[in-house]
Amino acid sequence: MATITRAEVNVTSPGRNFVTLRLTDADGTTGLGDATLNGRELAVASYLADHLIPLLEGREADNIEDTWQYLYRGAYWRRGPVTMAAIAAVDVALWDIKAKRAKVPLYQLLGGQSRIGALAYGHASGREIPQILDSVREHLELGYKAIRIQSGIPGLGSVYGVAASAAGGGERYDYEPARRGIAGGERLAPVEEAWDTRAYLRHIPTVFEAVRAEFGPDLPLLHDGHHRMTPREAASLGKALEPYDLFWLEDCTPAEDQAALRYVRSQTTTPIAIGEIFNTVYDYQTLITERLIDYIRSAVTHTGGITHLNKIADFAAIYGIKTGFHGPTDISPVGQAAALHLDIALHNFGIQEYMKHSAATLEVFDTGYTFTDGLLHPGDRMGLGVELNDDLAAKHPYDPAYLPVNRLLDGTMHDW
Ligand code: KDG
Ligand code: MG
């Protein structure tokens, strides 16, 4: 047993912004937690520095459940991405400390190993079908055994999920959709993208037809609808994609509306995944108990940490629903490692999203996890297995960034 004696928030931008919390206990053991919320980083940094850290010093580091309940119930204004990312960072840092004190990799405290590695999916994309096929080939060469496909849409400019240099660079460091600050003080505003759902619905089945024709029926393929469709549109896409046997269709409708998925579910057998913008188990309550989804997409980083996501996963398991945790590059290596320890331990693991971080990010965050032959391995370091190099982090100051916004062709704001 040892009390928390120190808590520091680090904001660094090695290619993109990350917010990291470091807790230290009275014996000098340190733990890290990821608190990155793309486009709203400083709100979480302030929540931690101004509202949580003053409550942490002197608390018992071992009492993780009590600390979680204290921060969640004690806020009164519960839930929401800022609050839950801040609580997640504290929670993961405490799990890191506990595992280091026990001298075991964190997954050992979560039940031990349920599998030899976590099946990961990568992001293939392109503006045109030939570029998409090249991108799938590159991912297969990198070892991926499951691949998400995102495509440009005829008549539209930049579209969510299509990497900026679409045909080259298999590891796709240029995927990041957030627009970063502009040197010279120009006012920073989100990029405005144009959107046309009818053009999208016409085009996407032709993309999957081409990918299946080229790579055969076996390869697990995924697609992200990024919250843009009505239930009827989503149902029609799900039906149109049935011949291509998707692993999942993600975020087909706006995520606030759990009931929307009743109609989608009744119309199509395409598996449904949702949840990257959810914060608590209550966002899933209808979806899980009515079996409206197949995969929960939360990130440890945005869902109250390991303590809460573990409970969501167990709740989902009772209904035969699996995990597919969020893991784009705006989850830091600390958040990615936390997901990985859960992936290895949970019985109802399904798949893990994985995009390798940039070289600059991996200099700042020293990681112990590896990707081999399609599987992610948390490694055998004690705790989470990730350390933050403060000196290198200091070389990359915060750089304001915003995710894009979406407008229909007549200028109406739409979901991005
Ligand atoms: O910051 C936004 C990204 O996390 C999100 O757009 C990524 O949808 C996403 C995914 O499935 O990885
Ligand atoms: Mg998504």
Side-chain angles (χ1 to χ4, degrees):
M1 303 281 273
T3 54
I4 301 167
T5 52
R6 205 160 167 218
E8 308 140 84
V9 183
N10 181 288
V11 181
T12 181
S13 193
R16 65 165 340 286
N17 294 312
F18 295 110
V19 180
T20 310
L21 175 70
R22 181 188 286 114
L23 298 181
T24 308
D25 74 7
D27 295 336
T29 308
T30 58
L32 296 180
D34 178 23
T36 308
L37 189 61
N38 203 359
R40 296 291 185 272
E41 295 86 358
L42 297 187
V44 191
S46 157
Y47 195 106
L48 281 165
D50 298 326
H51 303 295
L52 294 195
I53 286 178
L55 305 177
L56 291 177
E57 283 162 24
R59 288 187 71 82
E60 179 49 58
D62 261 338
N63 296 345
I64 300 177
E65 178 71 27
D66 183 63
T67 297
W68 194 94
Q69 300 293 345
Y70 181 75
L71 299 180
Y72 178 78
R73 291 175 200 285
Y76 187 65
W77 313 106
R78 292 179 190 178
R79 310 197 287 162
V82 174
T83 300
M84 297 309 286
I87 294 176
V90 174
D91 183 77
V92 171
L94 292 178
W95 278 106
D96 193 14
I97 288 178
K98 197 187 256 301
K100 284 178 178 168
R101 287 169 64 88
K103 299 193 170 31
V104 292
L106 176 52
Y107 65 80
Q108 292 293 3
L109 302 185
L110 304 173
Q113 235 176 328
S114 288
R115 58 193 51 78
I116 54 168
L119 175 69
Y121 74 88
H123 286 207
S125 71
R127 289 182 62 84
E128 312 273 349
I129 288 174
Q131 295 166 332
I132 296 171
L133 301 182
D134 285 348
S135 176
V136 173
R137 251 174 241 116
E138 288 167 12
H139 280 79
L140 292 174
E141 278 159 23
L142 289 167
Y144 283 98
K145 304 279 186 251
I147 300 182
R148 184 183 96 151
I149 309 281
Q150 300 298 131
S151 170
I153 307 299
L156 299 183
S158 71
V159 169
Y160 165 74
V162 180
S165 75
E171 300 203 17
R172 310 266 167 207
Y173 295 136
D174 55 356
Y175 151 85
E176 173 57 48
R179 180 185 192 186
R180 284 156 62 89
I182 302 157
E186 197 183 324
R187 192 174 67 89
L188 178 66
V191 168
E192 300 217 347
E193 294 182 346
W195 184 248
D196 177 352
T197 308
R198 291 188 70 228
Y200 166 76
L201 292 177
R202 276 196 306 276
H203 187 62
I204 290 299
T206 69
V207 171
F208 279 89
E209 185 182 19
V211 173
R212 279 287 177 228
E214 182 75 12
F215 298 100
D218 258 8
L219 181 64
L221 298 177
L222 303 85
H223 179 66
D224 190 345
H226 228 253
H227 320 281
R228 291 158 189 216
M229 288 168 274
T230 64
R232 194 211 58 76
E233 290 163 347
S236 106
L237 182 63
K239 270 187 182 169
L241 293 177
E242 280 171 18
Y244 312 113
D245 189 25
L246 262 60
F247 186 96
W248 78 35
L249 172 60
E250 176 189 344
D251 286 344
C252 57
T253 48
E256 300 92 324
D257 186 0
Q258 295 187 43
L261 289 175
R262 285 196 190 114
Y263 181 72
V264 181
R265 190 61 151 182
S266 71
Q267 298 297 310
T268 177
T269 55
T270 293
I272 304 293
I274 201 162
E276 72 186 32
I277 66 166
F278 289 176
N279 316 124
T280 73
V281 69
Y282 299 104
D283 295 320
Y284 284 108
Q285 202 164 9
T286 304
L287 301 177
I288 290 178
T289 54
E290 295 189 23
R291 300 174 200 268
L292 301 182
I293 57 172
D294 299 280
Y295 295 93
I296 56 172
R297 282 285 290 138
S298 283
V300 173
T301 305
H302 301 139
T303 320
I306 287 173
T307 297
H308 196 59
L309 192 50
N310 205 5
K311 289 178 185 174
I312 297 175
D314 283 348
F315 179 37
I318 295 168
Y319 293 85
I321 295 165
K322 294 190 175 185
T323 67
F325 296 146
H326 194 216
T329 39
D330 50 283
I331 300 296
S332 88
V334 174
Q336 183 70 260
L340 211 38
H341 285 276
L342 267 177
D343 293 340
I344 288 298
L346 287 170
H347 176 251
N348 60 327
F349 166 77
I351 200 165
Q352 173 63 52
E353 183 178 18
Y354 174 61
M355 304 174 75
K356 192 174 173 189
H357 284 100
S358 69
T361 298
L362 293 174
E363 260 174 43
V364 170
F365 294 91
D366 172 33
T367 60
Y369 57 80
T370 52
F371 174 70
T372 332
D373 207 19
L375 301 183
L376 284 160
H377 304 273
D380 47 20
R381 294 183 184 175
M382 311 293 105
L384 276 176
V386 180
E387 294 302 333
L388 173 70
N389 182 320
D390 292 20
D391 293 336
L392 291 178
K395 292 191 177 156
H396 304 280
Y398 170 69
D399 190 3
Y402 283 112
L403 287 168
V405 298
N406 230 1
R407 288 188 188 276
L408 302 180
L409 298 181
D410 70 356
T412 309
M413 280 293 296
H414 193 62
D415 303 276
W416 178 74

